[in-house]
Amino acid sequence: MFHLRCYSTLKRKTIGFIGLGQMGYPMASNLIKKFQPEGFIVHDYNKNQALNFQKEHKEAQVVDSPLEVAKRCQVIITMLPTGKHVRSVYTGENGLLQGLQPGSLVLDSSTIEPTTSKDLSSILKGKDVNMLDTPVSGGTLGAQAGTLTFMVGADSPELFEKSKEVLQHMGKNLVFCGTVGNGQIAKICNNMMLGISMIAASETMNLGVQMGMDPKLLAGILNTSTGRCWSTEVYNPCPGVLPNVPSSRGYTGGFGVSLMAKDMGLAVNIADQSKAPVTLGAVAHQIFNKVMTTKGYEDKDFSSVYKWLNSK
Amino acid sequence: MFHLRCYSTLKRKTIGFIGLGQMGYPMASNLIKKFQPEGFIVHDYNKNQALNFQKEHKEAQVVDSPLEVAKRCQVIITMLPTGKHVRSVYTGENGLLQGLQPGSLVLDSSTIEPTTSKDLSSILKGKDVNMLDTPVSGGTLGAQAGTLTFMVGADSPELFEKSKEVLQHMGKNLVFCGTVGNGQIAKICNNMMLGISMIAASETMNLGVQMGMDPKLLAGILNTSTGRCWSTEVYNPCPGVLPNVPSSRGYTGGFGVSLMAKDMGLAVNIADQSKAPVTLGAVAHQIFNKVMTTKGYEDKDFSSVYKWLNSK
Amino acid sequence: MFHLRCYSTLKRKTIGFIGLGQMGYPMASNLIKKFQPEGFIVHDYNKNQALNFQKEHKEAQVVDSPLEVAKRCQVIITMLPTGKHVRSVYTGENGLLQGLQPGSLVLDSSTIEPTTSKDLSSILKGKDVNMLDTPVSGGTLGAQAGTLTFMVGADSPELFEKSKEVLQHMGKNLVFCGTVGNGQIAKICNNMMLGISMIAASETMNLGVQMGMDPKLLAGILNTSTGRCWSTEVYNPCPGVLPNVPSSRGYTGGFGVSLMAKDMGLAVNIADQSKAPVTLGAVAHQIFNKVMTTKGYEDKDFSSVYKWLNSK
Amino acid sequence: MFHLRCYSTLKRKTIGFIGLGQMGYPMASNLIKKFQPEGFIVHDYNKNQALNFQKEHKEAQVVDSPLEVAKRCQVIITMLPTGKHVRSVYTGENGLLQGLQPGSLVLDSSTIEPTTSKDLSSILKGKDVNMLDTPVSGGTLGAQAGTLTFMVGADSPELFEKSKEVLQHMGKNLVFCGTVGNGQIAKICNNMMLGISMIAASETMNLGVQMGMDPKLLAGILNTSTGRCWSTEVYNPCPGVLPNVPSSRGYTGGFGVSLMAKDMGLAVNIADQSKAPVTLGAVAHQIFNKVMTTKGYEDKDFSSVYKWLNSK
């Protein structure tokens, strides 16, 4: 999907990684193994998590704050759960902002409000630091396998090219989405579309099955017709239609319903800012919120909405 | 997609065709040209429509009621706008029921409630007549080109095979959906999925564009990711993303928003019968009802919901 | 609410009553006790139900079909569960239509599609019979106490006056809604408004309580402000706010969630006919359909949607 | 509704007022006229607005920042459009926080996220300052007439009593809602209920009218039955049903649709935090967002949703 320039300007830099959660940990593991930077500094709010990482990767060093990461690294990746965490890591006490070196490159792979990405990028530019938003799709399996898709918002194609030198070690598809914030917008738009499609596929499959149709037959008809979508073809929510998808193993693994609910919430929020009507998006958001708080669904894949629909 | 038996048992029969509207007329035209049956009897509520057909196809004969069609034909196709019309043509005064000959084959290509299909099929069976539901997708263009998809509900594979001898001259894909009524269910399920997807694609594309993304770039990202569906890939509702689709020619041609509204209404109704929740389906139904009654959208393609969303 | 004419033209007539279910039985009981007509003929699809009625009311006579009711009575009340039942009783085999005497008065208290009321009224007019739609609100308790509200559609104020002579013995409020069918429309409109309000009250009370507010305090604020409605003031769905309402006794008694679901379905259907958008109505319909099929809610009052919202 | 203590401890204090917009200006006018405090300091982001106030009220003094207000006043009222503005006024550069005197009382009448109220109150407590959330209902007319309702969140009944000495001059009903943040929750809950009810009333009235009912008759039936709510009884959205309401004067005056859209957005956001499902609330939010961006509705009363529903 892309061609690397032959030289690597970032190779000799020290890399910092903040946020070693379910996604960040395997991403950082791939990065340190494949990129083999001169130095690799890690930080997590939960220090034990960082120490565990160091146990596995001896060359990594643990520090106690984003500030210390900023002081010691010229390339920094952050992977955090919400916009609130991102703001705290960047502009809070002992945050990155207080220590960043001019000319540094900061990549935020968290999925957050695009306005936060834009605001922080603008603040960092005042310190001569380029910040790109680089949210991912592909889940924890993609993070482990290094096959994530990165949706990159950058102020120039050159900065996108530069980011690839790092991101390629964690992902397979690197997509340039335009200016800073656009990575978030692309990610959020895709996931809103996905969330609605999954509920639509669930309503449709459930309706057909309740009316007496064979699920595989129905899926086959949809998939050769105008009703087909990723959720019917690749990730069908009805058990038994496809092998090796969450619906065929009790909705375990996959993309958690609460993560989908969070992304739908972001979609509804940015839609509110621009007054773009997202009625189906808003209803889908409420449905995922209801499913994720229903006993037995808390840790399930988001396709479990199919089961929720027909559970008595 | 299917193999014909070498002999044609229906060839020597007289064919009847009832309902020569926007879909029925070109379907009947293809049938009479390609099948060249021994006799071809047509009827339409609007007699002029039938006379026009006869003008174009000299070998066709016009009769004044479904009853007369039934008396003279052993194979009958009906293509009518709603379940009410179907019930009237079959069981009303001077209806088919009063004249059908034992051993006849009746194919109803209307899109109606599956329960009506089942009821009528059951009544006709009492007269030793097999009735199949054979609704279509593909629109008027598909009807003219003879490339429709037929979704066939039949009580046995043999009856499905038999129906192919006729249907193959009007369509390209003939799909066996199981027992009588299942053709309708498959059609309605597909179109519910399509209707929701189209609004979802419209909300998503509109949201991204309002937030400043390039529409083609956004469509490209969706189409290589988990948000892809027929409505984003093949029929994108945002003008300029794809050539030769309704959105790129002022939403003319295509599948009318009022037809989609009708099919969504059928979906919500059958879901109510089985108490299968279709919350997104119900909201999509309301949105199409609102769009179709908005000035300037009455005759537009159903993808015009994109324009409706961002019209001020 | 109304003044009776001094004479009673209907007193000397024989009354027929068809449909002795949960509503019809107590309505008929009140009528026979209070009106004391010259004759009282009853019929129910389930003959045992009619025999039970006769056991309690010796002066009643049981007949085997609507036809026999029609032959023997000049005033007939019908109280049936759905439009399908009504059509069957009126125009089916051994139905009313075949035996009605010119000059008879027929009152249909079933809640059904207004178009069915209009159609039947028009058919009966051809036999010189006046049919009024007289759906009720007030539930089984109101039926027993004789305090129902009747919403009456009649072609003239005189016919409304005439109907009062009978209806006053079963209800307290008799409301003239205009032409035939308008009784249904008024009933359905009111219940759609009620259904949406109840879910809105449930969402609102649940939101406030989840955020930490005292339910009684919150209800008090709503009820003295612009958020007040019958569902917050008289029938609050949050347990403990009001005594003697279903929510304070485990959601028993009251108006069943499946009955509300049925009425919402009627509302969505008539809205579809006139293309009047009812987006909230459609969503409310789906929610009641989901609640009524959830284990433990099948027989509960419709205010149990509050419990469903916060059940884990 | 409440009894004042005989002495007024706040009378001798200097009062500060920040935010002289459509609501704040008339509120401050009432306060300065009726309370006649020793000193009255005003500030607005738009200095001209403050100077206009001073022109009308000679005893008022204008200052250039919230900080200066804080330095000179012991009782401060803020009335600002959004949470972002409130955070900026309190904790931004030259904000209140930098200058507040221990023992001061701060009343925020803005309608914002309850979490922001709680956060700020907690921060101010660290400076020995009590902050209460005191959002209002009643609109600009209520602000002018001094008849607003204040929903007060305070950490003790004593603080609520103290706040009354000030608030009574701007409002008629002062309601104690419990701890800090609860004023916001009560306000938001009420307005979510109101917003849903208004759309429900509009869908219902429109459905009935489209089906041929007289609007006054239908409103009368609803208002004596279970469908009644403030929106049908006091503020009916159908033109001609009630005199002296926005619907009967082209939807002018009243409570702007964009203000309702904003409050629905707050409701959906706090519901998301507590995962309380608000499906009807979310749909209502989207509908108001659509209406407020439709040409001709930007400045209309929120009951104009009725007109939007049936506009072609």
Side-chain angles (χ1 to χ4, degrees):
Chain A
M1 187 150 181
F2 62 95
H3 301 279
L4 256 190
R5 280 182 283 168
C6 299
Y7 62 95
S8 172
T9 54
L10 302 179
K11 193 86 189 182
R12 306 271 166 73
K13 311 276 186 182
T14 296
I15 305 279
F17 204 108
I18 299 175
L20 297 165
Q22 287 197 306
M23 290 296 291
Y25 192 109
M27 285 166 69
S29 289
N30 277 316
L31 188 57
I32 195 170
K33 277 189 289 190
K34 298 191 195 164
F35 193 46
Q36 299 188 322
E38 296 245 322
F40 200 84
I41 314 288
V42 295
H43 169 73
D44 194 273
Y45 179 76
N46 175 352
K47 192 168 182 176
N48 281 334
Q49 193 71 358
L51 294 171
N52 284 340
F53 186 87
Q54 194 189 31
K55 223 174 274 171
E56 193 182 337
H57 304 281
K58 306 299 177 195
E59 63 276 38
Q61 285 176 275
V62 175
V63 297
D64 281 336
S65 71
L67 171 59
E68 287 179 62
V69 174
K71 282 183 180 165
R72 298 176 56 175
C73 305
Q74 297 81 41
V75 178
I76 298 168
I77 298 108
T78 54
M79 187 60 180
L80 300 156
T82 71
K84 201 171 165 181
H85 295 91
V86 172
R87 273 191 299 271
S88 165
V89 160
Y90 280 71
T91 59
E93 215 174 333
N94 293 318
L96 285 175
L97 192 59
Q98 298 172 9
L100 280 171
Q101 306 161 46
S104 293
L105 179 69
V106 179
L107 309 174
D108 179 36
S109 284
S110 320
T111 296
I112 61 171
E113 306 79 9
T115 46
T116 302
S117 299
K118 281 175 205 264
D119 287 352
L120 292 177
S121 176
S122 164
I123 292 169
L124 266 58
K125 201 165 280 175
K127 298 239 166 187
D128 196 21
V129 170
N130 283 303
M131 175 187 154
L132 283 60
D133 56 316
T134 60
V136 302
S137 70
T140 52
L141 291 179
Q144 286 157 21
T147 58
L148 295 168
T149 293
F150 283 87
M151 282 158 274
V152 181
D155 284 345
S156 71
E158 289 71 30
L159 282 168
F160 171 57
E161 289 300 319
K162 211 168 162 193
S163 76
K164 284 176 173 179
E165 297 177 36
V166 176
L167 300 177
Q168 61 170 312
H169 302 293
M170 301 182 283
K172 213 173 58 177
N173 296 316
L174 313 187
V175 186
F176 184 35
C177 299
T179 188
V180 168
N182 277 15
Q184 301 296 351
I185 295 168
K187 166 81 187 283
I188 292 169
C189 281
N190 183 72
N191 280 16
M192 182 176 89
M193 184 75 215
L194 171 61
I196 301 173
S197 297
M198 182 54 81
I199 298 179
S202 298
E203 290 186 357
T204 301
M205 290 297 301
N206 184 46
L207 175 57
V209 169
Q210 298 291 326
M211 295 294 291
M213 282 206 71
D214 175 74
K216 281 192 181 181
L217 179 59
L218 177 56
I221 292 167
L222 296 174
N223 289 338
T224 54
S225 186
T226 51
R228 73 176 162 77
C229 65
W230 185 88
S231 296
T232 58
E233 284 184 284
V234 179
Y235 210 88
N236 200 291
C238 176
V241 168
L242 295 174
N244 301 325
V245 292
S247 64
S248 292
R249 52 172 190 257
Y251 300 101
T252 56
F255 184 53
V257 65
S258 59
L259 292 172
M260 179 47 90
K262 179 209 155 194
D263 287 357
M264 296 298 302
L266 285 172
V268 171
N269 270 342
I270 68 169
D272 196 22
Q273 286 161 29
S274 56
K275 300 298 167 207
V278 290
T279 311
L280 293 188
V283 174
H285 180 212
Q286 297 299 320
I287 291 174
F288 284 122
N289 269 355
K290 176 67 182 152
V291 174
M292 73 169 275
T293 54
T294 300
K295 201 177 151 86
Y297 291 85
E298 304 89 342
D299 300 323
K300 290 294 190 296
D301 180 69
F302 79 120
S303 64
S304 61
V305 66
Y306 177 86
K307 188 184 171 192
W308 180 83
L309 284 176
N310 62 47
S311 68
K312 301 299 175 193
Chain B
M1 189 154 180
F2 61 95
H3 302 280
L4 258 189
R5 280 184 282 168
C6 299
Y7 63 97
S8 172
T9 55
L10 303 179
K11 193 86 188 181
R12 307 269 167 75
K13 311 275 187 184
T14 297
I15 305 279
F17 204 107
I18 299 175
L20 297 166
Q22 287 198 305
M23 291 295 292
Y25 192 109
M27 286 166 67
S29 290
N30 277 316
L31 188 57
I32 194 169
K33 279 188 287 188
K34 299 192 196 165
F35 193 45
Q36 300 186 323
E38 296 244 324
F40 201 84
I41 315 289
V42 295
H43 170 73
D44 194 274
Y45 179 78
N46 175 353
K47 193 168 181 176
N48 282 334
Q49 193 71 359
L51 293 172
N52 285 340
F53 186 86
Q54 195 189 27
K55 221 172 278 171
E56 192 181 339
H57 304 281
K58 307 297 178 199
E59 64 276 37
Q61 288 176 273
V62 175
V63 296
D64 280 337
S65 71
L67 170 59
E68 288 178 62
V69 175
K71 282 184 181 164
R72 300 174 57 175
C73 306
Q74 297 81 43
V75 177
I76 299 167
I77 299 107
T78 54
M79 187 60 179
L80 301 155
T82 71
K84 202 173 165 181
H85 295 92
V86 172
R87 272 192 300 271
S88 166
V89 160
Y90 280 72
T91 61
E93 216 174 331
N94 292 321
L96 285 175
L97 192 58
Q98 298 172 10
L100 281 171
Q101 306 162 44
S104 295
L105 179 68
V106 179
L107 308 175
D108 179 36
S109 284
S110 320
T111 296
I112 59 170
E113 306 78 8
T115 47
T116 302
S117 300
K118 282 174 205 265
D119 288 353
L120 292 177
S121 176
S122 164
I123 291 170
L124 266 58
K125 201 165 280 175
K127 298 240 167 187
D128 196 22
V129 171
N130 283 303
M131 175 188 154
L132 283 60
D133 55 317
T134 61
V136 302
S137 70
T140 50
L141 291 179
Q144 286 157 20
T147 57
L148 294 169
T149 294
F150 284 87
M151 283 158 274
V152 181
D155 284 346
S156 71
E158 289 71 29
L159 282 168
F160 171 58
E161 289 301 319
K162 213 168 159 192
S163 74
K164 283 177 175 179
E165 297 176 37
V166 176
L167 300 177
Q168 60 169 313
H169 302 293
M170 302 183 281
K172 212 172 60 176
N173 296 316
L174 314 187
V175 186
F176 184 34
C177 300
T179 189
V180 168
N182 278 15
Q184 302 295 352
I185 295 169
K187 166 81 188 284
I188 292 169
C189 282
N190 183 73
N191 280 17
M192 182 175 89
M193 185 74 215
L194 171 60
I196 301 173
S197 297
M198 183 53 81
I199 299 179
S202 298
E203 291 186 356
T204 302
M205 289 297 301
N206 184 47
L207 175 58
V209 169
Q210 298 291 328
M211 295 294 291
M213 281 204 73
D214 174 74
K216 282 193 182 183
L217 179 59
L218 177 56
I221 292 169
L222 296 174
N223 289 338
T224 52
S225 187
T226 51
R228 72 176 163 79
C229 64
W230 185 87
S231 298
T232 59
E233 284 183 284
V234 179
Y235 210 88
N236 201 293
C238 176
V241 168
L242 294 175
N244 301 325
V245 293
S247 63
S248 293
R249 51 172 191 258
Y251 299 103
T252 55
F255 184 53
V257 63
S258 59
L259 292 172
M260 178 48 90
K262 179 209 155 195
D263 287 356
M264 296 297 303
L266 284 173
V268 171
N269 270 343
I270 68 169
D272 196 23
Q273 286 162 28
S274 57
K275 300 298 168 208
V278 291
T279 311
L280 294 188
V283 174
H285 181 212
Q286 298 299 322
I287 291 174
F288 284 121
N289 269 355
K290 176 68 182 152
V291 175
M292 72 170 275
T293 55
T294 299
K295 200 176 151 84
Y297 291 85
E298 305 89 342
D299 300 323
K300 292 292 190 297
D301 179 69
F302 79 120
S303 65
S304 61
V305 66
Y306 176 86
K307 189 185 169 193
W308 180 83
L309 284 176
N310 62 48
S311 68
K312 299 302 176 193
Chain C
M1 186 151 180
F2 62 96
H3 302 280
L4 257 190
R5 281 183 282 166
C6 299
Y7 63 97
S8 172
T9 55
L10 302 180
K11 192 85 188 182
R12 306 271 168 72
K13 312 275 187 182
T14 296
I15 305 279
F17 204 108
I18 299 175
L20 298 164
Q22 287 197 306
M23 291 296 291
Y25 192 107
M27 286 166 68
S29 290
N30 277 316
L31 187 58
I32 195 170
K33 278 189 289 189
K34 299 192 195 162
F35 193 46
Q36 300 186 324
E38 295 244 322
F40 201 84
I41 314 289
V42 296
H43 169 72
D44 194 274
Y45 179 77
N46 175 354
K47 192 168 182 175
N48 281 334
Q49 193 70 359
L51 294 173
N52 283 340
F53 186 87
Q54 194 190 30
K55 222 173 275 170
E56 194 182 336
H57 305 281
K58 306 298 179 199
E59 64 276 37
Q61 286 177 274
V62 174
V63 296
D64 280 337
S65 71
L67 171 59
E68 288 179 60
V69 174
K71 281 182 182 164
R72 299 175 57 176
C73 306
Q74 298 81 42
V75 178
I76 299 167
I77 298 108
T78 54
M79 186 60 178
L80 300 156
T82 71
K84 202 172 163 180
H85 295 91
V86 171
R87 273 191 300 271
S88 167
V89 160
Y90 280 71
T91 60
E93 215 174 333
N94 293 320
L96 285 174
L97 192 59
Q98 299 172 8
L100 281 170
Q101 308 162 45
S104 294
L105 179 69
V106 179
L107 308 174
D108 179 36
S109 284
S110 320
T111 297
I112 61 170
E113 305 78 9
T115 47
T116 302
S117 300
K118 281 174 205 265
D119 287 351
L120 293 177
S121 175
S122 164
I123 291 169
L124 266 59
K125 200 165 282 175
K127 297 238 168 188
D128 195 21
V129 172
N130 284 302
M131 175 187 154
L132 283 61
D133 55 316
T134 61
V136 303
S137 70
T140 52
L141 291 178
Q144 287 158 20
T147 57
L148 293 170
T149 293
F150 283 88
M151 282 158 275
V152 181
D155 284 345
S156 71
E158 289 71 29
L159 282 168
F160 172 57
E161 290 301 318
K162 212 168 162 192
S163 76
K164 282 176 174 180
E165 297 176 36
V166 175
L167 299 177
Q168 61 169 312
H169 303 292
M170 301 182 281
K172 214 173 57 177
N173 296 316
L174 313 188
V175 186
F176 184 34
C177 300
T179 188
V180 168
N182 277 15
Q184 301 296 352
I185 295 169
K187 166 80 188 284
I188 291 169
C189 281
N190 183 72
N191 280 17
M192 182 176 90
M193 185 73 214
L194 170 61
I196 301 174
S197 297
M198 182 53 83
I199 298 179
S202 298
E203 290 186 357
T204 302
M205 290 297 300
N206 184 46
L207 176 57
V209 169
Q210 298 292 326
M211 295 294 291
M213 282 204 74
D214 175 74
K216 282 192 181 182
L217 179 60
L218 178 56
I221 292 168
L222 296 174
N223 289 338
T224 53
S225 186
T226 51
R228 73 177 163 78
C229 65
W230 185 87
S231 297
T232 58
E233 283 184 284
V234 179
Y235 210 88
N236 200 291
C238 176
V241 168
L242 296 173
N244 301 326
V245 292
S247 63
S248 293
R249 50 172 193 259
Y251 300 101
T252 56
F255 184 53
V257 65
S258 59
L259 292 172
M260 178 48 90
K262 178 208 156 196
D263 287 357
M264 296 298 302
L266 284 172
V268 171
N269 270 342
I270 68 169
D272 197 22
Q273 285 161 29
S274 57
K275 300 299 167 207
V278 291
T279 311
L280 293 187
V283 174
H285 181 213
Q286 297 299 321
I287 292 175
F288 284 122
N289 269 354
K290 176 69 181 150
V291 174
M292 73 169 275
T293 54
T294 300
K295 202 178 149 85
Y297 291 84
E298 304 88 344
D299 301 323
K300 292 294 192 296
D301 179 69
F302 79 119
S303 65
S304 62
V305 66
Y306 176 87
K307 188 185 171 193
W308 179 84
L309 284 176
N310 62 47
S311 68
K312 299 302 176 195
Chain D
M1 189 154 178
F2 61 95
H3 302 281
L4 257 191
R5 281 183 283 168
C6 299
Y7 63 95
S8 172
T9 55
L10 302 179
K11 193 85 189 182
R12 307 272 167 71
K13 311 277 187 182
T14 296
I15 305 280
F17 204 107
I18 298 175
L20 297 165
Q22 287 198 307
M23 291 295 292
Y25 192 108
M27 287 167 67
S29 290
N30 277 316
L31 188 57
I32 195 170
K33 278 189 287 189
K34 299 191 194 164
F35 193 46
Q36 300 186 325
E38 296 244 324
F40 200 83
I41 314 289
V42 295
H43 170 73
D44 194 274
Y45 180 77
N46 175 354
K47 193 167 182 177
N48 281 334
Q49 192 71 359
L51 293 173
N52 284 340
F53 187 87
Q54 196 190 28
K55 220 173 279 172
E56 192 182 338
H57 304 281
K58 306 297 179 198
E59 64 275 39
Q61 286 177 274
V62 175
V63 297
D64 281 336
S65 71
L67 170 59
E68 287 178 62
V69 175
K71 280 183 181 164
R72 298 177 56 177
C73 306
Q74 297 81 44
V75 178
I76 298 166
I77 298 108
T78 54
M79 186 61 178
L80 301 156
T82 71
K84 202 173 164 181
H85 295 92
V86 172
R87 273 190 299 272
S88 166
V89 161
Y90 280 71
T91 60
E93 215 174 332
N94 293 320
L96 285 174
L97 192 60
Q98 299 172 9
L100 282 170
Q101 306 163 45
S104 294
L105 179 69
V106 179
L107 309 174
D108 180 36
S109 283
S110 320
T111 297
I112 59 170
E113 306 79 9
T115 46
T116 302
S117 299
K118 282 173 204 265
D119 287 352
L120 292 177
S121 176
S122 164
I123 291 169
L124 266 59
K125 202 166 279 174
K127 297 239 166 186
D128 196 21
V129 172
N130 282 303
M131 175 188 153
L132 283 61
D133 55 317
T134 61
V136 302
S137 71
T140 51
L141 291 178
Q144 285 157 22
T147 57
L148 294 169
T149 293
F150 284 88
M151 283 159 274
V152 181
D155 284 345
S156 71
E158 288 73 27
L159 282 169
F160 171 58
E161 290 300 320
K162 214 168 158 191
S163 74
K164 284 176 172 178
E165 298 177 35
V166 176
L167 300 177
Q168 60 169 313
H169 303 293
M170 301 182 281
K172 212 173 61 175
N173 296 315
L174 313 187
V175 186
F176 185 33
C177 300
T179 187
V180 169
N182 277 15
Q184 301 296 354
I185 295 169
K187 165 82 188 283
I188 292 169
C189 282
N190 182 74
N191 280 17
M192 182 176 89
M193 185 74 213
L194 171 60
I196 301 173
S197 298
M198 183 52 82
I199 299 178
S202 297
E203 291 186 357
T204 301
M205 291 297 301
N206 183 47
L207 175 57
V209 169
Q210 298 292 327
M211 295 294 292
M213 282 205 72
D214 174 74
K216 281 193 182 181
L217 179 59
L218 177 56
I221 292 169
L222 296 174
N223 289 338
T224 53
S225 186
T226 51
R228 73 175 162 80
C229 65
W230 184 88
S231 298
T232 58
E233 284 184 284
V234 179
Y235 210 88
N236 201 291
C238 177
V241 169
L242 295 174
N244 301 325
V245 292
S247 63
S248 292
R249 52 173 190 259
Y251 300 103
T252 55
F255 184 52
V257 65
S258 59
L259 292 171
M260 178 47 90
K262 178 207 155 194
D263 287 358
M264 296 297 302
L266 285 172
V268 170
N269 270 342
I270 68 170
D272 196 22
Q273 285 161 29
S274 58
K275 299 299 166 208
V278 290
T279 310
L280 294 187
V283 174
H285 180 213
Q286 298 298 321
I287 291 174
F288 284 122
N289 270 354
K290 177 68 182 151
V291 175
M292 73 170 276
T293 54
T294 300
K295 201 177 151 83
Y297 291 85
E298 305 88 343
D299 300 323
K300 291 294 190 296
D301 179 69
F302 78 120
S303 65
S304 61
V305 66
Y306 176 85
K307 188 184 171 194
W308 179 84
L309 284 176
N310 62 47
S311 69
K312 299 300 176 195

